[in-house]
Amino acid sequence: MGDTQLTVTGISRPAARRRRSVWTGLTALASASAIAVLGLTAPAASAATSAHTDKNTKPSVEASCAEPGPGEVSCFALRRTDVTPKEGVQPSDTSPSGWGATALQDAYNLPAGGGAGQTIAIVDAYDDPTAEEDLAVYRAQYGLPACTADDGCFKKVDQRGGTDYPAADSGWAGEISLDLDMVSAAAPYANIVLVEADSASFEDIGASVDQAVAQGAKFISNSYGTNYTSTPGSGEDPSETTDFDAHYNHPGVAVVASSGDDAYGVAYPAASQYVTSVGGTALDQDSSTSRGWSESVWYNSYGGPGSGCSVYEAKPAWQESLGTDCDMRAVSDVSAVADPLTGVSVYQTYGGDGWAVYGGTSASSPIIAGVYAAAGTPTAGTYPAAYPYAAGSSGLSGRFVSLWVVLVSPDGVGEAGTFRSGVGGLLGSVG
């Protein structure tokens, strides 16, 4: 590669050194007054179990979904295969591996009662026939309120808004369980709409995003994207700006998308200027910090969050003042836990045997969608992707995402963690 410049989000480095920078929104912070009113539930010791507790077992990770074909997307869920599955609600002394709901609430300082009055949609391909039943087990395990079709909290629809569900798929079922569990953890009192696309084609997925908006959701998580590599533009196509962006262009709706798990590249729809692009971190408990947790960019042999410069998407106005070294849209905007070695607890029985540990930016996207929902309804006519950048904007709820830039070498060692841009509100009038 010689002296060719590898241009990525935040900084340019000689490609021969093979370093990149990744925007990572490390913490969702609640104001002291919000905590006092809403309350935070500290994680029980059994609920804050790391995914890598068995030091005698070599970690093993596999992708939940197959690689996408032309004109298709794939989910970004990564499942740990070295974790012994267990069925049903577990007693406190044998709780599931991985970070559970109460641990995630503590790590991101989220209110245990977040999401009340809001509707979060998740968009996935194919059907998970046990989605509602599995969700019930997850929520019971962590003391979250029930969320069922009977009580009106949970709704499953096809891409036309009906009940003609697509064919079941065990790989996408894992993705669906991951999405449902993570939005439940981040916003336990929100209603959830699962929209199942007929297939993984962009036409069906895009129609499903529009259906999510039609269902009244103000927050939509999209944990999927195109196949991509380190080659600039490999995950994008010119038609995204003419044919597909319209499905993600919904002012007043927080449309959130995973940045991908292969690093060194840009996937779509995360590249869209209309979505909040979500990268991934490694999350560990750390008593030496005031937060009680340490978090750094995820980058190891199992993957890393996609990042870089879009080839076709225009730079959004809210990135104009940042030194992204991108002439076009820079990916990603914020991040949450995605490293499968510090993964999250998920309950899945269709294609699984109960409790599992998942990672990938498929985990971080629904978490951030839940953070938006916990913050409150987006301002009409605005693009919530701008909120994390809006330091000093009016009407802030007190729930923030910090933007950091972390330099990462090929072996995954973080060179620096530099505070970059202050804090931006996830709720407020941005202008």
Side-chain angles (χ1 to χ4, degrees):
M1 297 174 67
D3 293 328
T4 302
Q5 290 288 308
L6 179 64
T7 304
V8 289
T9 309
I11 202 164
S12 287
R13 295 281 185 181
R17 297 180 65 190
R18 297 185 60 200
R19 289 189 173 93
R20 67 190 182 102
S21 63
V22 181
W23 288 104
T24 46
L26 292 181
T27 54
L29 305 174
S31 67
S33 58
I35 293 173
V37 173
L38 297 174
L40 281 173
T41 301
S46 60
T49 304
S50 174
H52 45 85
T53 54
D54 187 353
K55 301 301 183 181
N56 297 318
T57 302
K58 181 180 180 181
S60 178
V61 177
E62 67 178 12
S64 183
C65 298
E67 288 191 3
E72 293 182 336
V73 297
S74 180
C75 75
F76 290 132
L78 298 176
R79 185 176 69 88
R80 289 279 297 272
T81 60
D82 59 309
V83 176
T84 302
K86 301 176 182 178
E87 293 188 356
V89 176
Q90 301 297 301
S92 59
D93 59 344
T94 58
S95 62
S97 296
W99 300 127
T102 46
L104 292 171
Q105 289 169 13
D106 183 66
Y108 293 108
N109 210 4
L110 293 170
Q118 305 294 351
T119 297
I120 304 172
I122 65 170
V123 172
D124 288 300
Y126 304 110
D127 181 40
D128 177 2
T130 61
E132 185 176 357
E133 295 83 354
D134 291 348
L135 177 63
V137 174
Y138 181 88
R139 294 177 75 101
Q141 179 70 53
Y142 297 109
L144 306 181
C147 187
T148 68
D150 289 342
D151 65 21
C153 174
F154 176 77
K155 185 177 184 180
K156 183 171 81 169
V157 299
D158 62 33
Q159 68 184 57
R160 292 159 294 279
T163 57
D164 185 16
Y165 304 125
D169 182 277
S170 60
W172 278 91
E175 174 64 59
I176 290 170
S177 292
L178 171 61
D179 290 342
L180 291 174
D181 293 353
M182 291 306 98
V183 296
S184 295
Y189 282 83
N191 292 336
I192 304 173
V193 177
L194 165 60
V195 184
E196 296 182 334
D198 290 349
S199 74
S201 73
F202 259 115
E203 289 76 10
D204 290 338
I205 287 288
S208 298
V209 176
D210 292 333
Q211 181 58 233
V213 177
Q215 291 289 324
K218 293 296 184 181
F219 316 91
I220 304 173
S221 179
N222 304 277
S223 294
Y224 57 79
T226 52
N227 200 12
Y228 67 97
T229 68
S230 59
T231 303
S234 62
E236 297 188 82
D237 186 275
S239 61
E240 69 193 48
T241 59
T242 57
D243 297 340
F244 302 136
D245 262 358
H247 297 297
Y248 300 93
N249 184 3
H250 295 285
V253 178
V255 184
V256 180
S258 302
S259 71
D261 299 340
D262 289 334
Y264 294 107
V266 175
Y268 186 85
S272 174
Q273 60 188 294
Y274 302 114
V275 310
T276 300
S277 175
V278 184
T281 64
L283 176 69
D284 281 296
Q285 284 187 313
D286 186 350
S287 60
S288 69
T289 68
S290 58
R291 178 186 173 193
W293 298 82
S294 62
E295 197 163 18
S296 59
V297 67
W298 162 43
Y299 187 68
N300 54 30
S301 60
Y302 300 103
S307 65
C309 307
S310 172
V311 175
Y312 304 109
E313 297 284 340
K315 178 181 287 188
W318 49 87
Q319 287 188 344
E320 289 290 346
S321 61
L322 299 178
T324 64
D325 285 340
C326 290
D327 294 329
M328 308 293 278
R329 197 260 201 266
V331 174
S332 57
D333 302 307
V334 295
S335 293
V337 60
D339 185 351
L341 300 190
T342 64
V344 298
S345 303
V346 173
Y347 195 78
Q348 175 199 2
T349 59
Y350 187 78
D353 296 312
W355 288 103
V357 173
Y358 274 84
T361 52
S362 277
S364 52
S365 176
I367 290 173
I368 294 300
V371 172
Y372 272 110
T377 307
T379 302
T382 66
Y383 288 99
Y387 295 0
Y389 298 87
S393 63
S394 61
L396 301 183
S397 70
R399 195 147 290 114
F400 305 116
V401 169
S402 299
L403 296 179
W404 295 71
V405 60
V406 179
L407 304 182
V408 180
S409 60
D411 61 3
V413 177
E415 295 182 81
T418 306
F419 190 69
R420 183 72 180 186
S421 66
V423 295
L426 281 183
L427 178 66
S429 176
V430 179

